[in-house]
Amino acid sequence: MKLSRLQAFSDGVFAILITILVMDFKVPDYQTGHLLAAVIQQWPVLAAYILSFMYIGILWLFHHDLFSVFAQIDRNVNLLNLLMLFAITLINYPTALLSHTLMHYQRTDLQVAFISYAVIALFISLTFLMLYRYLRQHPELKSARVSPQLFATISYDPLRSMVIYLLSIIATFFSVELGALLLVGGIIFHFYAYLHLSRRITV
Amino acid sequence: MKLSRLQAFSDGVFAILITILVMDFKVPDYQTGHLLAAVIQQWPVLAAYILSFMYIGILWLFHHDLFSVFAQIDRNVNLLNLLMLFAITLINYPTALLSHTLMHYQRTDLQVAFISYAVIALFISLTFLMLYRYLRQHPELKSARVSPQLFATISYDPLRSMVIYLLSIIATFFSVELGALLLVGGIIFHFYAYLHLSRRITV
Amino acid sequence: MKLSRLQAFSDGVFAILITILVMDFKVPDYQTGHLLAAVIQQWPVLAAYILSFMYIGILWLFHHDLFSVFAQIDRNVNLLNLLMLFAITLINYPTALLSHTLMHYQRTDLQVAFISYAVIALFISLTFLMLYRYLRQHPELKSARVSPQLFATISYDPLRSMVIYLLSIIATFFSVELGALLLVGGIIFHFYAYLHLSRRITV
Amino acid sequence: MKLSRLQAFSDGVFAILITILVMDFKVPDYQTGHLLAAVIQQWPVLAAYILSFMYIGILWLFHHDLFSVFAQIDRNVNLLNLLMLFAITLINYPTALLSHTLMHYQRTDLQVAFISYAVIALFISLTFLMLYRYLRQHPELKSARVSPQLFATISYDPLRSMVIYLLSIIATFFSVELGALLLVGGIIFHFYAYLHLSRRITV
């Protein structure tokens, strides 16, 4: 399989996932004449949608910059990429958990939702780590444009975000607020990692 | 990232969004033998679908002509485009609000639905304005084919439509009919702005 | 806009529509231990799915062969294509009506479902007719590979299928079975028209 | 139609199908404060999702390697490919049956779910077999890169997996566990067949 086809397929999955997320944004149950109150009470659905749209958007940008590092791909890269896409499609589930539990605001349920989200995020970062590792062990797949030093620096990024998500999971047991902060922080960290990567690689 | 990839991803989001809108068009609850009446009562779902299909279709045509103005893109264009796609996917929600409230026809609920739609439309036009502004400040991204005078004229379009949507929001407080008229008028204005743009730029 | 982009966007809409149709194929309500009976009673969902998958598949093949006739496109072709895609996405609705009414098998409701399907099919053929007409009036858009005689012959196809769908609508008032037969016949006619077209144009 | 377009359309269907599967992963009904138990009870949804994601992922890889064998396509290949895509989209239904029945764990219902899955899998393998047969009878469509001996060997793969799925169907009548094992075994067999194919063809 050619690299361009893997990218096109992945782009498709990203585009579909980021768009179907909005389908959780349904008309609320409301009494005739009281739609406004029902719409306002739906703010958690919007909040969870914004978070996941941002997260998937950054993952998409990251995925592209990552695959611009490849000169060619082999079968294992293909399988690792499918594993990564699998992990990313799962985001749909904790996003829904988050918007539901934020509406009722019960502490134990919120912990379940935030920990689920962080576990999926941890899994996603793990698949990025696996791809980086594989690329490091197979320099023949690497594009000549990327310097070894830069690559060594970048490849620690998934590890760093995994630590943040792990801390978020642990923190949520004691304080939902701190856990949530770390989770959102981890996603913002991805954003900075992307800016960092895109500045150094000329694609 | 290359311009062609940003366009392909955006095309994907537009194609998915415009297609999943039809999924709100469900079989109505009906008593056996009385399907016809139930189907006829669903006219607001069709009306809202037509409006949003037309709107997203025009936005897609517009998006393409806008990006044909670019010779290359940078990171910020990429992020602004993601923000624009986020705003556009939101259309799904007020479309559903509109079809539900038009079926019950209660004034306060209708106001909420029309204002929600106009707010999203205002947000979408704002993201177009931001992209135009950014392009004006970064002439190095601009294609040589576009004359500065033409560009100066065109770039007021999002501003004009924002004024229309703002007027629609204000008007809805006093008269739902006038607000609705202005909203639909704003979308038709997009259509004329597109015809205007496409006549002048040879893509 | 370039022809290739219009085709890619249309392909996307076709691919999404043909795939989301399967989402109407839900797990039926059933008592524990009696899933088999519930699954068997769902045969109309499968029947309606097969019909619409076949129909959309043929429309896709047809769309492709039609657009291979174009050497270039203009703005109106673009708008007519959007109208055609709008008509095609609507198939989702009568497909659901069909599978629901076939499960209860009440005559009046079945008439509503079959007539809805035929009306949408009539509308789709009308958009094909409009595109053919436009192409005939603008020979400068036409590819040199297509002979005028062949084109004149082909362009009657949408008209023929419109007559079939119209007969199906009228027949359904008297006999649901005859109306259904004509509807399925119309879709099979599309299939033959496609075979006819694809044999004569070397793409 | 060109081969590249058939592949792009098929890629689209695969990408959409693999992504919408996650939409069955909904927030469970739960009493406030007891989300965790409800989430854990949903393990069959995750299990069925993993199985079908893996299956569709492998089918996609397989589809690609299969079509890399073609030098060109004709109308019948196009129609056979549509039949194959139809069979593959159906996976959505037994996946949902599987996750529902695994949650209630009633023997008769489980048999229905597993047999449905195996029947669809049998149908999918049959469409692959039909494409291989057609390709063997039309060597003019075959790429020169593929040796006749290799091709003869590979083309027995769909037949082999059909035997496995047939055994799975028969076994399920006596033992759900054995039937399930054979079904999962058949999907893993696809995986090995893919590794086998991709090692021998240099794409």
Side-chain angles (χ1 to χ4, degrees), chain B residues 16-80:
Chain B
I16 296 154
L17 189 65
I18 218 168
T19 315
I20 62 172
L21 274 179
V22 85
M23 292 176 77
D24 234 23
F25 224 141
K26 292 196 186 95
V27 174
D29 290 325
Y30 68 98
Q31 279 190 292
T32 307
H34 295 82
L35 179 59
L36 184 62
V39 163
I40 289 170
Q41 278 187 327
Q42 272 190 312
W43 68 264
V45 184
L46 182 59
Y49 182 56
I50 292 174
L51 183 71
S52 291
F53 193 100
M54 204 179 99
Y55 187 21
I56 298 173
I58 296 165
L59 286 174
W60 173 65
L61 294 169
F62 222 85
H63 186 271
H64 266 296
D65 282 3
L66 168 57
F67 275 91
S68 74
V69 169
F70 283 86
Q72 53 171 321
I73 55 166
D74 64 12
R75 203 172 58 198
N76 294 331
V77 171
N78 227 324
L79 295 174
L80 283 172

Side-chain angles (χ1 to χ4, degrees), chain A residues 62-178:
Chain A
F62 222 84
H63 186 271
H64 266 296
D65 283 3
L66 168 58
F67 275 90
S68 73
V69 169
F70 283 86
Q72 53 171 323
I73 56 167
D74 64 11
R75 204 171 56 198
N76 294 330
V77 171
N78 228 324
L79 295 174
L80 283 172
N81 184 56
L82 273 178
L83 186 69
M84 185 189 280
L85 292 179
F86 171 72
I88 292 170
T89 59
L90 288 178
I91 292 175
N92 189 55
Y93 181 64
T95 304
L97 287 183
L98 214 61
S99 57
H100 277 249
T101 52
L102 279 171
M103 254 187 279
H104 297 98
Y105 226 90
Q106 201 278 338
R107 196 173 169 270
T108 331
D109 292 348
L110 275 172
Q111 285 175 321
V112 174
F114 275 109
I115 289 175
S116 303
Y117 206 115
V119 166
I120 302 295
L122 192 75
F123 180 25
I124 293 169
S125 289
L126 178 68
T127 61
F128 271 93
L129 185 70
M130 287 164 78
L131 253 168
Y132 275 123
R133 286 275 151 103
Y134 189 79
L135 191 53
R136 190 150 34 159
Q137 288 156 10
H138 296 79
E140 73 278 8
L141 301 174
K142 225 180 287 178
S143 166
R145 291 173 303 178
V146 188
S147 73
Q149 296 89 330
L150 169 62
F151 189 72
T153 322
I154 295 167
S155 58
Y156 282 108
D157 281 345
L159 213 61
R160 281 193 204 109
S161 64
M162 282 175 75
V163 171
I164 299 177
Y165 294 131
L166 195 67
L167 288 177
S168 164
I169 293 170
I170 296 166
T172 307
F173 283 102
F174 304 101
S175 155
V176 177
E177 286 75 19
L178 183 62

Side-chain angles (χ1 to χ4, degrees), chain D residues 62 65-67 69-70 80 84 125-138 142 150-151 153-159 193 197 201:
Chain D
F62 221 85
D65 283 2
L66 169 59
F67 275 91
V69 169
F70 283 86
L80 283 172
M84 185 190 281
S125 288
L126 179 67
T127 60
F128 271 92
L129 185 70
M130 287 165 78
L131 253 168
Y132 275 123
R133 287 273 150 103
Y134 189 79
L135 190 54
R136 193 152 31 162
Q137 288 156 10
H138 296 80
K142 223 180 289 179
L150 169 63
F151 189 72
T153 322
I154 294 167
S155 58
Y156 282 107
D157 282 344
L159 213 60
L197 183 66
I201 305 172

Side-chain angles (χ1 to χ4, degrees), chain C residues 4 7 11-12 14-20 22-28 30-36 38-39 42 46 49-50 53 57-58 60-61 64-65 191 194-196 198-199 203, chain D residues 1-2 5-6 8-10 12-14 16-17 20 23-24 26 75-76 78-79 81-83 85-87 89-93 96-98 100-101 104-106 108-110 112-113 116:
Chain C
S4 65
Q7 288 174 312
D11 278 5
F14 276 107
I16 295 154
L17 188 65
I18 217 168
T19 315
I20 62 172
V22 85
M23 292 176 78
D24 234 24
F25 224 142
K26 291 194 188 98
V27 174
Y30 68 98
Q31 278 190 292
T32 306
H34 295 81
L35 178 59
L36 183 63
V39 164
Q42 272 189 312
L46 181 60
Y49 182 57
I50 292 174
F53 192 101
I58 295 165
W60 173 65
L61 294 169
H64 265 297
D65 282 1
F191 185 61
Y194 163 71
L195 295 185
H196 185 74
S198 66
R199 203 172 49 237
V203 189
Chain D
M1 192 177 301
K2 273 178 279 172
R5 186 158 292 160
L6 178 145
F9 180 76
S10 305
V13 171
F14 276 106
I16 296 154
L17 187 66
I20 63 172
M23 293 176 77
D24 234 24
K26 291 192 187 101
R75 203 173 56 198
N76 293 332
N78 227 325
L79 295 173
N81 184 56
L82 272 178
L83 186 68
L85 293 179
F86 170 72
T89 58
L90 289 178
I91 292 175
N92 189 54
Y93 181 65
L97 287 183
L98 214 61
H100 277 249
T101 52
H104 297 98
Y105 226 90
Q106 202 280 337
T108 332
D109 292 347
L110 276 172
V112 175
S116 304

Side-chain angles (χ1 to χ4, degrees), chain B residues 7 33 35 42 49 64 198, chain C residues 5 9 75 86 89 93 109:
Chain B
Q7 288 173 313
L35 179 59
Q42 272 190 312
Y49 182 56
H64 266 296
S198 67
Chain C
R5 187 158 289 162
F9 180 76
R75 203 172 57 198
F86 170 71
T89 59
Y93 181 64
D109 292 348

